[in-house]
Amino acid sequence: SIITTINDNKNIQSFSLNLDKLNLNGKKLDTVLDAFSTPIGNKNKKKSKKQKKESEEDEKDENNDDFCLKWTKLSFASNSLDENDLDNLINKLSNLQNLAEINLNDNFNSQMSDIDSILCRLLEFENIVSISIAGSKNNRLKSKLIPLLEAIADYKNIQKLDIRNNDLNDIPSITRIFKKCKNLSAFRIDNNGFSDFNEIISAITKTENLIELNFPLNDCKRLLKNNDI
């Protein structure tokens, strides 16, 4: 597979992979995730038991130093993932120490049990700085997104965050992100059912590094339409 091929290539130091819209879930997802843990090297090359024993520890260290460190960005958007898939994904990718960006757009909704607590596990990736968890017409997390936002505010290291289209309707969780995530440079928050923008605007004025903001214009338009202004 392309994943094992990248793992085998020692010349590649950094790599990102887009696996969107491939219907990767359940057993199909398992197969893909297992490939990320496949040891590098030629599996068809025969070794004596003695050679195998002597190289075992070196190979283990080599694996960790090489393919575990080269994966920096992964995207699994629109794959019909559920909460079990997400839990499995986090467990099996935990060895990717340099994973900095992950895209999980259009997968999860508020009907999934424990999705709120499992989403918080994304912060177990110790170098994660970009999370995209935007919703869609059929997948909206609503209040199930709040625990993740609270955890991100405490984590403080997030630089890019996309939570559009989730019907969140919780302004305090948004303002906490603005106030606590000092390195935040990009924040996309439209279509979350916001109705009072004063706190958001106030929080925005205090940010220092924000250079991209998807202001909730659609929420503004909806509010104006409903009030017949």
Side-chain angles (χ1 to χ4, degrees), residues 61-125:
D61 291 339
E62 185 179 36
N63 287 346
N64 289 332
D65 291 340
D66 288 344
F67 77 85
C68 288
L69 300 179
K70 67 179 59 179
W71 298 98
T72 59
K73 179 180 179 180
L74 296 174
S75 183
F76 294 90
S78 304
N79 273 301
S80 298
L81 303 178
D82 62 18
E83 65 272 41
N84 295 319
D85 291 323
L86 179 60
D87 201 41
N88 188 30
L89 182 151
I90 295 170
N91 288 336
K92 292 193 173 182
L93 298 184
S94 61
N95 61 323
L96 305 186
Q97 300 170 38
N98 283 344
L99 186 64
E101 301 183 49
I102 190 163
N103 182 348
L104 295 164
N105 290 349
D106 183 28
N107 279 300
F108 312 116
N109 61 67
S110 60
Q111 301 303 311
M112 297 178 180
S113 61
D114 297 325
I115 189 62
D116 45 358
S117 59
I118 297 173
L119 281 169
C120 292
R121 293 195 60 211
L122 290 172
L123 299 181
E124 291 178 14
F125 296 111

Side-chain angles (χ1 to χ4, degrees), residues 146-178:
I146 294 176
L148 174 62
L149 296 182
E150 292 177 341
I152 287 174
D154 292 333
Y155 177 69
K156 300 180 182 179
N157 293 328
I158 288 295
Q159 298 174 14
K160 298 180 181 179
L161 183 60
D162 187 348
I163 60 167
R164 292 169 298 158
N165 308 319
N166 273 301
D167 283 345
L168 174 65
N169 195 21
D170 186 78
I171 292 179
S173 63
I174 298 298
T175 57
R176 279 194 293 271
I177 296 288
F178 280 121

